Structure formats: structure tokens, C-alpha cells
């Protein structure tokens, strides 16, 4: 009799455990469906009415986007990834030009996305608000500091998103989430209405899943006239940079080379040593390199190290 009761109790416990697991799983799936933890808040900035025919529609008509919580939006507090910052700052009295030009271009902004606290990380984690779930690898970090923007695009919640890139904050989360991320040259896109992190490097960038969307957004943000795409005549492969990775070159540089050959042909490829090129043209980098290092390492590698150290010092 006791054995029967014990067996029954075990089955009850197992049943309760399974039920709890199923409930938890459903809750987790529901949370993922509600935005992968990408958004700080939802709102709508609607584009102007489309022009009457025969005029062409706005270039971004029908597209939705989100913006990192570092861009000002009129009537909202820019949180900067920190609750104390949000609590002690007033609402913005105007919207950042980079956001406005996209809305005027026909896109609808649907909300603000999470970011690393004060933009000071490239992991995508935030102690106060949590870490957005990386749709490409749910058990891995999404990368930052534009984490929410990258996740919103990767999860197909928006067509594209705005981020900022000071030391990799668009490029890193794009790579981690398996989407496209673009950082243009510094100063090309206005940073007015964007909270500064390191103004000598702060750059507005954007994410998309579709190359054509990335291209359209770039034309609007960069204020480029319509033109036919032209194929590049030369593509430089910095082999020494790939050598710094612990991943086998066949899985990195090899993939890039084969893709370029397939798309553009082998004749456009040119191999260079980027470190040596920089070392020969920026001798002042020696100030960021120890004398002992110069005796042990190749100057090309040290030049890349010097750039990294200079960047970190400027950011601080």
C-alpha cells in the first residue's frame, strides 16, 4: 500500500513539474512575441500624406522603423539606458533631424528601443531593463550598445532601425543578430538631438534585414540623389586583420573572398596589409605603443593595437 502511495505521489509531482514547465514556456513564448524585450516604449510618428499622382511616392512608403533611446523625440524623455537619467531629464522639445528625415521620407516610427546603459558597452546587456533576446541565438547576447534596434530588426518587428556607432555599437549587434548594419563616415548624418557619448566618434547608423531597404534608408539619411548602382572596380582585403581572429581564416576571409568573386569577379580583389599601411602613414601611433612591444611584434599589428588604444583613450 505504501509503495502504491509513493508511486502515486511521484506521478503527481512529475505532473505538477510538467505543468509548471509548460506554463513557463508559454509565458516565455508570449514575452518573445511581445517584442523580444527590444522596446522601451511604443508610439507612432506618422509620415506625411503621399503626393498625388503622377508624382512618385515617398521613398520609404510602407516601411516601419524604431530608434535607439538615445535619439530625441518631441514630447518624450530620452532615457539613455538609465532610469536615473530618465528621471532627472525633461522631455525633448524637438525630434532629432535623423529621425525626422526618415518620417518625412515616408516611414512610420513605432517606438524607442533599449540600449546599454549610457551607451558604455558593446554587449547589449542592461542591469536596469534587462537584455533583449537575440532572435538569431536566444541564449547569446545581442551585442550593443544599439541592442534593441538590432533585435527589433532581426525579429522582424520593424523593417529597419536607427542606432549609433562610436566604437562598434551598430556593427557589433548587427553581426551578433545576423542582420545588416551600416556605419557611415563620421559627421555625414547629423547628430543633433542625439545624446553624445564621444563626439569625435559618435555616428548615426542603421540596421535592416533586406539590402534594398538598407540602401533606401541610406539614400534618405545621406541625402543622395537618385543614381544607377555601379559595381566597384577594386575591393581591398585586409588579410592581417583576419589573422587577428581566432576563427580559422577559411571560415572568415575565405567566405568573404568567395562571395566577392561570385558577385563581382576575381579581378576586383586586391590584398593589402592594413596595419603596415597605417604604420607608414600615421607615425604618431608609436606614442601608443610600448618600446618592449616594438622589439617583439610586427609593426603592422602594433599599428592596429595603437589605434585601438587611442580610440579607448578618446572615448574616456
Amino acid at each position: 500500500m505504501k509503495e502504491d502511495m509513493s508511486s502515486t505521489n511521484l506521478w503527481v509531482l512529475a505532473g505538477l513539474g510538467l505543468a509548471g514547465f509548460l506554463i513557463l514556456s508559454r509565458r516565455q513564448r508570449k514575452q518573445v512575441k511581445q517584442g523580444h524585450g527590444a522596446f522601451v516604449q511604443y508610439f507612432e510618428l506618422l509620415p506625411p500624406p503621399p503626393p498625388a499622382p503622377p508624382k512618385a511616392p515617398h521613398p520609404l512608403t510602407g516601411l516601419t522603423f524604431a530608434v535607439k533611446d538615445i535619439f530625441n523625440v518631441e514630447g518624450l524623455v530620452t532615457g539613455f539606458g538609465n532610469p536615473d537619467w530618465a528621471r532627472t531629464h525633461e522631455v525633448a522639445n524637438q525630434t532629432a533631424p535623423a529621425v525626422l528625415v526618415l518620417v518625412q521620407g515616408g516611414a512610420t516610427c513605432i517606438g524607442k528601443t533599449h540600449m546599454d546603459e549610457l551607451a558604455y558597452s558593446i554587449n547589449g546587456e542592461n542591469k536596469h531593463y534587462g537584455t533583449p533576446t537575440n532572435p538569431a541565438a536566444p541564449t547569446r547576447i545581442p551585442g550593443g550598445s544599439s541592442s534593441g534596434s538590432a533585435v527589433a530588426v532581426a525579429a522582424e518587428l520593424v523593417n529597419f532601425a536607427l542606432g549609433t556607432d562610436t566604437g562598434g555599437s551598430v556593427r557589433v549587434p548587427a553581426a551578433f543578430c545576423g542582420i545588416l548594419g551600416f556605419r557611415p563616415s563620421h559627421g555625414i548624418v547629423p547628430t543633433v538631438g542625439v545624446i553624445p557619448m564621444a563626439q569625435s566618434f559618435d555616428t548615426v547608423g542603421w540596421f535592416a534585414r533586406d539590402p534594398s531597404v538598407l540602401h533606401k534608408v541610406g539614400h534618405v539619411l545621406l541625402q543622395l540623389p537618385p543614381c544607377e548602382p555601379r559595381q566597384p572596380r577594386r575591393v581591398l582585403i585586409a588579410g592581417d586583420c583576419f589573422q587577428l581572429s581566432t576563427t580559422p581564416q577559411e571560415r572568415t576571409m575565405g567566405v568573404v573572398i568567395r562571395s566577392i568573386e561570385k558577385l563581382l569577379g576575381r579581378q576586383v580583389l586586391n590584398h593589402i596589409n592594413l596595419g603596415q599601411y597605417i604604420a607608414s602613414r600615421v607615425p604618431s601611433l608609436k606614442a601608443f605603443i610600448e618600446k618592449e612591444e616594438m622589439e617583439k611584434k610586427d609593426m603592422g599589428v602594433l599599428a592596429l593595437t595603437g589605434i585601438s588604444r587611442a580610440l579607448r583613450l578618446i572615448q574616456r
Side-chain angles (χ1 to χ4, degrees), residues 139-185:
T139 60
R140 306 297 180 106
I141 58 174
S145 62
S146 307
S147 52
S149 290
V151 166
V153 171
E156 301 185 19
L157 304 175
V158 290
N159 298 109
F160 68 93
L162 280 185
T164 56
D165 191 311
T166 302
S169 292
V170 165
R171 292 162 288 172
V172 169
F176 285 14
C177 292
I179 58 174
L180 302 171
F182 187 79
R183 179 199 187 275
S185 298

Side-chain angles (χ1 to χ4, degrees), residues 68 116-125 143-146 168-169 197:
K68 182 179 183 178
D116 288 78
E117 186 175 3
L118 307 181
Y120 216 83
S121 175
I122 58 171
N123 289 338
E125 300 167 304
S145 62
S146 307
S169 292
M197 194 271 185

